[in-house]
Amino acid sequence: MAQRAASKRPLVTAPPAFPKPGHNHARCAADALAKAEAVCTARGTRLTDIRRQVLATVWQSHVPVGAYEILAQLNSGGGTPRSHKSRALTARGGRHAPMAVYRALEFLMGNGLVHRLASLNAYIGCAHRGEDPHAAQFLICRRCGITAELKSAALNRALNQAVTERGFTIDSQLVEIGGICPHCRPKP
Amino acid sequence: MAQRAASKRPLVTAPPAFPKPGHNHARCAADALAKAEAVCTARGTRLTDIRRQVLATVWQSHVPVGAYEILAQLNSGGGTPRSHKSRALTARGGRHAPMAVYRALEFLMGNGLVHRLASLNAYIGCAHRGEDPHAAQFLICRRCGITAELKSAALNRALNQAVTERGFTIDSQLVEIGGICPHCRPKP
DNA sequence: TGGTATAATGTTATATTATAACATATTCAA
DNA sequence: TTGAATATGTTATAATATAACATTATACCA
Ligand SMILES: [Zn+2]
Ligand SMILES: [Zn+2]
Ligand SMILES: [Zn+2]
Ligand SMILES: [Zn+2]
């Protein structure tokens, strides 16, 4: 494994670029949805309407979304109304209750399609679609809100080592880094 | 800086032990409280009654405590009742309102005496008392709940590098590792 | 096909965590 | 002492998340 190629920086692989402001995001979203379909088919789980809608909402951008924001979009948005008989709507004026969103998110997280950001109480589409649920690290731009998933082997190595040194056995990790992304940083 | 001394592991310094079940915790707490007094004096801030009580509650053990749990202890506990005139108590049956606790926690965090654990919505006394507010990493035992603050230079280095490689500028970090602590792990 | 178990969603209610906003009290120092 | 700054009291509510049970859809098998 060629771990350090040039002189200055140990390039493990080309670090994936931080999502650019102007990129073709429709494609990000479409790809993610397509991948999700495939993953669910492969796993024998069902990507139902609500789940798909929630996933689509989460993929509207690279900015994490709160559960109630997703709910609001589900309820205001163009989707087809569901309950045809009870139009009580629980006096919330919407089609769905919070549970619907939380359940969909639970499903999506369980299938490795969405991550939760504990520092924001918000959710984001998984950038490594199609993989099993996995631990991830995040870079969160405090200016534009765009959040990128980081999967650094070196970081994982360092983390494992630091932890193991103390006799600890990892089974979950939460790494969320706040700061300024390359596109928001004033150029020199 | 002798960074790698022996052969196998790059021991930076002796890794601090994970808090043992039987240790003299009264001393942990007493030390923490004393240090807090000193820190506040030095900084010209005031460690008032409530703040001290909250800090003491947080230091009852090495297990993070929720804000409302702190509140409950404040209100049930042996402390002196406060408001002598309005005994309305907002129908909560207690002496203090949630705000009191949150404000104390805010103060304590601002002075580097307490950390918040985002993955638990809970608070823990800072193990590096007397230092300025700092980023920290945590090891959280999912069995006994004991949580230890980790301050690994190597980890920080790896983290900085991984992040910098992507053109990102850190200004806050959140690292919370869940797992089994050395004292809860079945011995071989 | 019909029946039945499983999975998904609907529905209502409530728990948990945290903050807003304004009133009062305390402290410190000019 | 008096006034500004700090701290606390008080009330209300926001924001996030889950519990519990009813109903509906789906899959699968006899
Ligand atoms: Zn995109
Ligand atoms: Zn940005
Ligand atoms: Zn202790
Ligand atoms: Zn433990």
Side-chain angles (χ1 to χ4, degrees), chain B residues 17-33:
Chain B
F18 203 92
K20 274 210 181 101
H23 75 281
N24 180 1
H25 183 68
R27 180 154 164 196
C28 295
D31 284 1
L33 272 285

Side-chain angles (χ1 to χ4, degrees), chain A residues 48 51 82 86 90 103:
Chain A
T48 60
R51 289 166 180 176
R82 299 208 57 80
S86 98
T90 79
R103 287 202 274 231

Side-chain angles (χ1 to χ4, degrees), chain B residues 9-88:
Chain B
R9 299 179 177 186
L11 290 178
V12 178
T13 63
F18 203 92
K20 274 210 181 101
H23 75 281
N24 180 1
H25 183 68
R27 180 154 164 196
C28 295
D31 284 1
L33 272 285
K35 257 303 166 70
E37 299 280 5
V39 167
C40 289
T41 302
R43 294 180 152 233
T45 59
R46 289 158 52 201
L47 190 60
T48 61
D49 270 4
I50 296 189
R51 289 167 180 176
R52 196 186 342 265
Q53 284 178 258
V54 169
L55 185 59
T57 303
V58 155
W59 271 104
Q60 269 180 344
S61 77
H62 295 274
V63 178
V65 234
Y68 278 77
E69 193 180 337
I70 295 172
L71 178 63
Q73 294 202 27
L74 242 66
N75 281 339
S76 75
T80 37
R82 299 208 59 80
S83 63
H84 43 74
K85 52 184 57 168
S86 96
R87 119 171 3 258

Side-chain angles (χ1 to χ4, degrees), chain A residues 168, chain B residues 18-19 140-146 179-185:
Chain A
F168 198 86
Chain B
F18 203 92
I140 307 170
C141 180
R142 70 152 195 276
R143 189 169 164 283
C144 66
I146 290 182
I180 299 290
C181 81
H183 311 303
C184 288
R185 189 172 52 177

Side-chain angles (χ1 to χ4, degrees), chain A residues 6 13 24 32 35 74-75 138 160 169 180 185:
Chain A
T13 63
N24 178 2
K35 256 307 166 67
L74 243 64
N75 281 338
F138 298 93
N160 270 294
T169 309
I180 298 291
R185 190 174 48 177

Side-chain angles (χ1 to χ4, degrees), chain A residues 31-47:
Chain A
D31 284 1
L33 271 284
K35 256 307 166 67
E37 299 278 5
V39 167
C40 288
T41 302
R43 294 181 152 232
T45 59
R46 290 158 51 201
L47 191 60

Side-chain angles (χ1 to χ4, degrees), chain A residues 29-71:
Chain A
D31 284 1
L33 271 284
K35 256 307 166 67
E37 299 278 5
V39 167
C40 288
T41 302
R43 294 181 152 232
T45 59
R46 290 158 51 201
L47 191 60
T48 60
D49 270 5
I50 297 189
R51 289 166 180 176
R52 197 187 340 268
Q53 284 177 257
V54 169
L55 185 59
T57 304
V58 155
W59 271 104
Q60 270 180 345
S61 78
H62 294 274
V63 178
V65 233
Y68 278 78
E69 193 180 336
I70 296 172
L71 178 63

